[in-house]
CSV table of all heavy atoms in Angstrom, one decimal:
chain,number,residue,atom,x,y,z
A,2,THR,N,6.4,6.5,0.2
A,2,THR,CA,6.8,6.5,-1.2
A,2,THR,C,8.3,6.7,-1.3
A,2,THR,O,8.9,7.2,-0.3
A,2,THR,CB,6.1,7.7,-2.0
A,2,THR,OG1,6.8,7.8,-3.2
A,2,THR,CG2,6.2,9.0,-1.2
A,3,ASP,N,9.0,6.3,-2.4
A,3,ASP,CA,10.4,6.6,-2.5
A,3,ASP,C,10.7,7.4,-3.7
A,3,ASP,O,11.8,7.6,-4.1
A,3,ASP,CB,11.3,5.3,-2.5
A,3,ASP,CG,11.2,4.6,-3.8
A,3,ASP,OD1,10.4,4.9,-4.7
A,3,ASP,OD2,12.1,3.7,-4.0
A,4,ALA,N,9.7,7.9,-4.4
A,4,ALA,CA,9.9,8.8,-5.5
A,4,ALA,C,8.7,9.6,-5.9
A,4,ALA,O,7.6,9.2,-5.6
A,4,ALA,CB,10.3,7.9,-6.7
A,5,ALA,N,8.9,10.8,-6.4
A,5,ALA,CA,7.8,11.6,-6.9
A,5,ALA,C,7.2,11.0,-8.1
A,5,ALA,O,7.6,9.9,-8.5
A,5,ALA,CB,8.3,13.0,-7.2
A,6,ALA,N,6.3,11.6,-8.8
A,6,ALA,CA,5.6,11.1,-10.0
A,6,ALA,C,6.7,10.8,-11.0
A,6,ALA,O,7.7,11.5,-11.2
A,6,ALA,CB,4.7,12.1,-10.5
A,7,LEU,N,6.5,9.6,-11.7
A,7,LEU,CA,7.5,9.2,-12.6
A,7,LEU,C,6.9,9.2,-14.0
A,7,LEU,O,5.7,9.0,-14.2
A,7,LEU,CB,7.9,7.7,-12.3
A,7,LEU,CG,8.5,7.6,-10.9
A,7,LEU,CD1,8.5,6.1,-10.5
A,7,LEU,CD2,9.9,8.1,-10.9
A,8,PRO,N,7.8,9.4,-15.0
A,8,PRO,CA,7.3,9.4,-16.4
A,8,PRO,C,6.8,8.0,-16.8
A,8,PRO,O,7.3,7.0,-16.3
A,8,PRO,CB,8.5,9.8,-17.2
A,8,PRO,CG,9.7,9.6,-16.3
A,8,PRO,CD,9.2,9.7,-14.9
A,10,GLN,N,4.0,6.6,-16.0
A,10,GLN,CA,3.2,6.0,-15.1
A,10,GLN,C,1.7,6.2,-15.4
A,10,GLN,O,1.4,7.3,-15.9
A,10,GLN,CB,3.5,6.6,-13.7
A,10,GLN,CG,2.6,6.1,-12.6
A,10,GLN,CD,2.9,6.7,-11.3
A,10,GLN,OE1,3.5,7.8,-11.2
A,10,GLN,NE2,2.6,6.0,-10.3
A,34,ALA,N,6.2,14.5,2.1
A,34,ALA,CA,7.0,13.8,1.0
A,34,ALA,C,6.8,12.3,1.0
A,34,ALA,O,6.7,11.7,-0.1
A,34,ALA,CB,8.4,14.2,1.1
A,37,LEU,N,2.6,11.5,0.3
A,37,LEU,CA,1.9,12.1,-0.8
A,37,LEU,C,0.9,13.1,-0.3
A,37,LEU,O,1.2,13.9,0.6
A,37,LEU,CB,1.3,11.1,-1.8
A,37,LEU,CG,2.3,10.1,-2.4
A,37,LEU,CD1,1.6,9.1,-3.3
A,37,LEU,CD2,3.5,10.8,-3.1
A,166,ARG,N,0.6,7.3,-7.0
A,166,ARG,CA,1.6,8.2,-7.7
A,166,ARG,C,3.0,7.8,-7.2
A,166,ARG,O,3.1,7.5,-6.0
A,166,ARG,CB,1.4,9.6,-7.4
A,166,ARG,CG,2.1,10.6,-8.3
A,166,ARG,CD,1.5,12.0,-8.2
A,166,ARG,NE,1.6,12.6,-6.8
A,166,ARG,CZ,0.6,12.9,-6.0
A,166,ARG,NH1,-0.6,12.8,-6.5
A,166,ARG,NH2,0.8,13.4,-4.9
A,167,GLY,N,4.0,7.8,-8.1
A,167,GLY,CA,5.3,7.4,-7.6
A,167,GLY,C,5.4,5.9,-7.4
A,167,GLY,O,4.5,5.1,-7.8
A,168,THR,N,6.4,5.4,-6.6
A,168,THR,CA,6.5,4.0,-6.3
A,168,THR,C,6.8,3.9,-4.8
A,168,THR,O,7.0,4.9,-4.1
A,168,THR,CB,7.7,3.4,-7.1
A,168,THR,OG1,8.9,4.1,-6.7
A,168,THR,CG2,7.5,3.4,-8.6
A,217,PHE,N,3.8,-1.3,-14.7
A,217,PHE,CA,4.7,-0.2,-14.4
A,217,PHE,C,5.5,-0.5,-13.2
A,217,PHE,O,6.8,-0.2,-13.2
A,217,PHE,CB,3.9,1.1,-14.3
A,217,PHE,CG,4.7,2.2,-13.8
A,217,PHE,CD1,5.5,3.0,-14.6
A,217,PHE,CD2,4.7,2.6,-12.4
A,217,PHE,CE1,6.3,4.0,-14.1
A,217,PHE,CE2,5.5,3.6,-11.9
A,217,PHE,CZ,6.3,4.3,-12.8
A,221,HIS,N,9.5,-0.8,-13.3
A,221,HIS,CA,10.3,0.1,-12.5
A,221,HIS,C,11.2,-0.6,-11.5
A,221,HIS,O,12.4,-0.3,-11.4
A,221,HIS,CB,9.3,1.0,-11.6
A,221,HIS,CG,10.1,1.9,-10.7
A,221,HIS,ND1,10.8,3.0,-11.1
A,221,HIS,CD2,10.3,1.8,-9.3
A,221,HIS,CE1,11.4,3.5,-10.0
A,221,HIS,NE2,11.1,2.8,-8.9
A,225,ARG,N,15.3,-0.4,-11.6
A,225,ARG,CA,16.1,0.0,-10.4
A,225,ARG,C,17.1,-1.1,-10.1
A,225,ARG,O,18.2,-0.8,-9.7
A,225,ARG,CB,15.2,0.3,-9.2
A,225,ARG,CG,14.5,1.7,-9.2
A,225,ARG,CD,15.5,2.8,-8.9
A,225,ARG,NE,14.8,4.1,-8.7
A,225,ARG,CZ,15.2,5.2,-9.3
A,225,ARG,NH1,16.2,5.3,-10.1
A,225,ARG,NH2,14.5,6.3,-9.0
A,250,ASP,N,18.4,11.6,-9.3
A,250,ASP,CA,17.3,12.4,-9.8
A,250,ASP,C,16.1,12.5,-8.8
A,250,ASP,O,15.2,13.2,-9.1
A,250,ASP,CB,16.8,11.7,-11.1
A,250,ASP,CG,16.3,10.3,-10.9
A,250,ASP,OD1,16.8,9.6,-9.9
A,250,ASP,OD2,15.4,9.8,-11.6
A,251,VAL,N,16.2,11.9,-7.6
A,251,VAL,CA,15.1,12.0,-6.7
A,251,VAL,C,15.5,13.0,-5.6
A,251,VAL,O,16.6,13.1,-5.2
A,251,VAL,CB,15.0,10.5,-6.1
A,251,VAL,CG1,14.0,10.5,-4.9
A,251,VAL,CG2,14.5,9.6,-7.2
A,252,ASP,N,14.5,13.7,-5.1
A,252,ASP,CA,14.7,14.7,-4.0
A,252,ASP,C,15.4,14.0,-2.8
A,252,ASP,O,15.0,12.9,-2.4
A,252,ASP,CB,13.3,15.2,-3.6
A,252,ASP,CG,13.5,16.5,-2.7
A,252,ASP,OD1,13.7,16.3,-1.5
A,252,ASP,OD2,13.3,17.6,-3.3
A,255,LEU,N,13.9,12.2,0.2
A,255,LEU,CA,13.5,10.8,0.0
A,255,LEU,C,14.6,9.8,0.1
A,255,LEU,O,14.4,8.6,0.0
A,255,LEU,CB,12.7,10.7,-1.3
A,255,LEU,CG,11.4,11.5,-1.4
A,255,LEU,CD1,10.8,11.5,-2.8
A,255,LEU,CD2,10.4,11.0,-0.4
Side-chain angles (χ1 to χ4, degrees):
T2 169
D3 78 349
L7 297 166
Q10 175 178 25
L37 304 179
R166 197 163 62 242
T168 60
F217 168 80
H221 172 76
R225 280 289 189 225
D250 58 330
V251 171
D252 192 280
L255 297 171

